[in-house]
């Protein structure tokens, strides 16, 4: 396709981005039917748009991690054209500052009682509220010892069995301690570390593979090549491991 | 040329998404954590500036917000480049830890002005007129940038047909400079 004239390219870009006036849009669509090169170009741009949106939408890892972060303090939702206002301290009619009190659940439960300005009634309300809070806490504790906690205990035991059965925990095995690492992995997968073996060649169509075991691990080298170079490369790699 | 666009319920999220996409350039900002910190900072300042009615960008609240973010980010890039004594033409290294898709990496490789234009229009679905207002450029300049950005993306992603067709528009008929040396 030759380079489109400036005006046409602008129209095509606006068409792809969905901001072309309806009459211009119709005219361009008419033109596209007669000129497939323009249609192809627009289709490519449209695919490009979709790829960009897919790359930066919420499903991409970067965007997902970013969206998972809590919004920074001070970046709260704002209403359009809302004038900035200075935050005033919240004062109860009784003269008690409420902001700090409301931050904890226990204190929040006490607020109705504290709002009463009468001495004896206030003390009685505080005691009743405290009793209610303690009862709710106790009920929660009893519930915690029921079915949900049984699942938690089972999961903890399974985790202990999987990761803490050995003498050392897996996170405490250094990668330099190859023997301990191999032993631990062998115990997890239920197989001993494979014995060292010679290079074996496998062929499927044009693809050839060389595999061998050594140092407790299996290795494979796969490629499209003739057998001799792959075998030679695999042999060199295996000898290199031995030297290490 | 105005068109309805997808309005998000919370412009903060859109701003942060746009900011993250624009700020990480594998040049001054090479990793996700740095980009996030920078965008958090700039978003906060852009929100305050847009709220206080700073700037001369007309249009709705969302447009003013993005315009403020772009202004602040450009200033940050200028200052950072001055501090490091590097220019936009400095070679960019490929971040080995960049786990983004090929498209993400290609967009990060675009120059800032092209990246801003493309992402405003494609990702945030601003109309061309609105994007030109937010960037404080003419509509023709925006169209030129979009065409260049698309061509560079196609070339970076190895799309031969797209790159060969040269998405860049035909050159303007007036190629002679305005000023000439007169003996």
């Amino acid at each position: 396709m030759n380079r489109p004239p400036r005006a046409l390219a602008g129209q095509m870009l606006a068409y792809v981005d969905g901001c072309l006036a309806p009459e211009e849009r119709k005219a361009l669509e008419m033109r596209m039917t007669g000129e497939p090169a323009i249609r192809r170009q627009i289709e490519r741009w449209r695919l490009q748009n979709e790829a960009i949106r897919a790359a930066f939408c919420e499903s991409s890892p970067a965007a997902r991690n970013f969206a998972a972060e809590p919004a920074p303090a001070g970046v709260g939702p704002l209403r359009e054209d809302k004038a900035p206002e200075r935050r005033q301290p919240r004062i109860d009619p009784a003269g008690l500052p409420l902001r700090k009190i409301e931050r904890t659940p226990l204190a929040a439960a006490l607020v109705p009682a504290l709002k009463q300005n009468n001495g004896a009634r206030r003390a009685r309300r505080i005691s009743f509220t405290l009793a209610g809070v303690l009862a709710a806490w106790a009920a929660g504790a009893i519930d915690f010892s029921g079915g949900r906690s049984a699942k938690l205990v089972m999961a903890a035991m399974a985790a202990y069995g999987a990761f803490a059965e050995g003498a050392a925990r897996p996170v405490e095995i250094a990668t330099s301690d190859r023997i301990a690492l191999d032993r631990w992995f062998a115990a997890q997968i239920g197989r001993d570390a494979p014995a060292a073996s010679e290079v074996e060649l496998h062929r499927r169509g044009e693809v050839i593979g060389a595999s061998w075991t050594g140092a407790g691990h299996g290795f494979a080298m796969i490629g499209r090549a003739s057998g001799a170079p792959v075998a030679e490369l695999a042999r060199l790699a295996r000898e290199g491991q031995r030297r290490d | 040329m105005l068109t309805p666009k997808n309005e998000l319920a919370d412009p903060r999220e859109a701003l942060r998404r746009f900011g993250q996409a624009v700020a990480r350039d594998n040049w001054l900002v090479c990793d996700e954590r740095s980009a996030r910190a920078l965008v958090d900072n700039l978003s906060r300042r852009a929100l305050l500036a847009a709220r206080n009615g700073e700037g001369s960008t007309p249009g709705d609240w969302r447009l003013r917000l993005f315009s403020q973010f772009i202004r602040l980010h450009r200033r940050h890039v200028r200052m950072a480049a001055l501090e490091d004594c590097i220019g936009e033409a400095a070679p960019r290294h490929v971040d080995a830890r960049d786990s983004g898709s090929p498209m993400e990496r290609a967009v990060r490789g675009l120059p800032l002005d092209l990246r801003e234009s493309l992402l405003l229009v494609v990702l945030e679905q601003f109309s061309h007129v609105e994007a030109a207002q937010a960037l404080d450029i003419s509509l023709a300049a925006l169209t030129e940038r979009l065409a260049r950005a698309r061509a560079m993306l196609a070339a970076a992603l190895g799309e031969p047909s797209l790159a060969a067709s040269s998405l860049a528009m035909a050159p303007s008929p007036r190629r002679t400079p305005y000023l000439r040396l007169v003996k």
Side-chain angles (χ1 to χ4, degrees):
Chain A
M1 177 185 174
N2 294 327
R3 286 184 177 186
R6 182 173 292 263
L8 175 59
Q11 277 190 343
M12 288 163 65
L13 284 166
Y15 180 85
V16 171
D17 296 328
C19 46
L20 197 61
E23 58 272 19
E24 289 178 294
R25 189 178 183 85
K26 276 186 182 173
L28 187 61
E29 282 169 352
M30 289 286 289
R31 189 169 177 175
M32 279 161 60
T33 56
E35 297 184 45
I38 293 179
R39 198 181 61 240
R40 279 198 300 272
Q41 189 72 76
I42 284 176
E43 191 55 35
R44 286 177 193 136
W45 281 342
R46 191 173 281 157
L47 290 174
Q48 209 175 37
N49 278 6
E50 287 173 11
I52 292 169
R53 285 180 196 133
F56 290 99
C57 74
E58 298 300 320
S59 61
S60 75
R64 198 168 49 238
N65 294 341
F66 195 62
E69 290 283 318
V75 190
L78 296 173
R79 284 209 312 270
E80 184 174 355
D81 299 330
K82 184 183 178 188
E85 57 186 25
R86 189 174 295 278
R87 184 177 289 177
Q88 299 293 330
R90 296 176 60 194
I91 301 293
D92 182 73
L96 292 169
L98 298 181
R99 282 181 60 194
K100 286 191 177 178
I101 289 175
E102 288 177 353
R103 285 186 182 169
T104 62
L106 177 61
L110 290 174
V111 165
L114 288 172
K115 281 185 177 179
Q116 301 298 321
N117 210 9
N118 189 323
R121 189 187 294 173
R122 186 174 163 186
R124 196 164 57 243
R125 278 179 183 266
I126 289 174
S127 62
F128 278 132
T129 309
L130 273 175
V133 168
L134 287 172
W137 177 80
I142 291 165
D143 180 54
F144 185 73
S145 64
R148 280 186 301 169
S149 65
K151 286 182 185 172
L152 181 66
V153 169
M154 293 296 288
M157 286 173 67
Y160 182 84
F163 297 110
E165 202 170 28
R169 293 179 186 175
V171 290
E172 293 172 350
I173 299 176
T175 51
S176 56
D177 191 357
R178 177 67 66 86
I179 296 171
L181 204 57
D182 288 347
R183 195 182 301 132
W184 185 84
F185 272 115
Q188 299 308 307
I189 62 176
R191 288 174 55 185
D192 291 332
S197 70
E198 295 298 322
V199 174
E200 292 179 20
L201 288 179
H202 315 273
R203 182 185 294 277
R204 179 171 291 180
E206 295 179 354
V207 179
I208 191 162
S211 65
W212 69 96
T213 54
H217 299 283
F219 300 90
M221 183 181 291
I222 301 169
R224 290 175 189 273
S226 59
V230 172
E232 180 62 17
L233 272 174
R235 191 185 61 77
L236 286 173
R238 188 168 176 275
E239 292 302 316
Q241 284 170 357
R242 280 189 176 171
R243 275 198 298 273
D244 291 342
Chain B
M1 300 267 287
L2 285 172
T3 183
K5 57 182 176 291
N6 294 342
E7 290 289 351
L8 292 176
D10 189 354
R12 285 182 314 161
E13 291 305 318
L15 183 66
R16 294 173 78 198
R17 179 181 61 189
F18 171 79
Q20 177 82 345
V22 165
R24 189 169 171 189
D25 56 0
N26 288 348
W27 177 53
L28 289 170
V29 179
C30 295
D31 63 285
E32 190 186 333
R33 180 178 291 183
S34 306
R36 191 184 304 154
L38 175 63
V39 172
D40 276 349
N41 183 6
L42 295 180
S43 301
R44 202 176 289 129
R45 289 162 59 193
L47 279 162
L48 287 173
R51 209 182 193 189
N52 292 335
E54 290 178 21
S56 58
T57 307
D60 65 355
W61 151 254
R62 187 167 170 261
L63 186 62
R64 290 203 307 273
L65 183 61
F66 276 76
S67 175
Q68 288 298 328
F69 181 90
I70 288 165
R71 182 182 64 82
L72 291 166
H73 179 246
R74 282 180 181 172
R75 191 162 66 186
H76 169 83
V77 169
R78 270 200 309 275
M79 297 300 290
L82 276 176
E83 282 177 9
D84 295 347
C85 298
I86 52 175
E88 178 78 12
R92 301 181 181 203
H93 68 275
V94 177
D95 187 3
R97 294 166 300 173
D98 190 348
S99 59
S101 65
M103 176 58 84
E104 283 178 276
R105 290 199 293 269
V107 170
R108 283 171 199 149
L110 292 175
L112 178 59
D113 54 347
L114 304 190
R115 203 162 63 242
E116 289 170 346
S117 308
L118 188 71
L119 291 172
L120 270 181
V121 170
V122 176
L123 191 62
E124 301 308 327
Q125 300 188 341
F126 281 103
S127 72
H128 286 192
V129 173
E130 289 172 323
Q133 286 175 350
L135 295 166
D136 199 19
I137 56 174
S138 69
L139 188 57
L142 178 87
T143 312
E144 183 81 34
R145 284 186 188 183
L146 288 175
R148 279 170 50 213
R150 289 182 183 283
M152 286 181 70
L153 270 190
L157 293 170
E159 298 174 27
S161 57
L162 203 61
S165 65
S166 180
L167 304 187
M169 288 176 292
S172 170
R174 186 178 59 209
R175 297 296 267 175
T176 53
Y178 289 105
L179 299 177
R180 293 182 185 177
L181 185 64
V182 180
K183 290 183 181 176

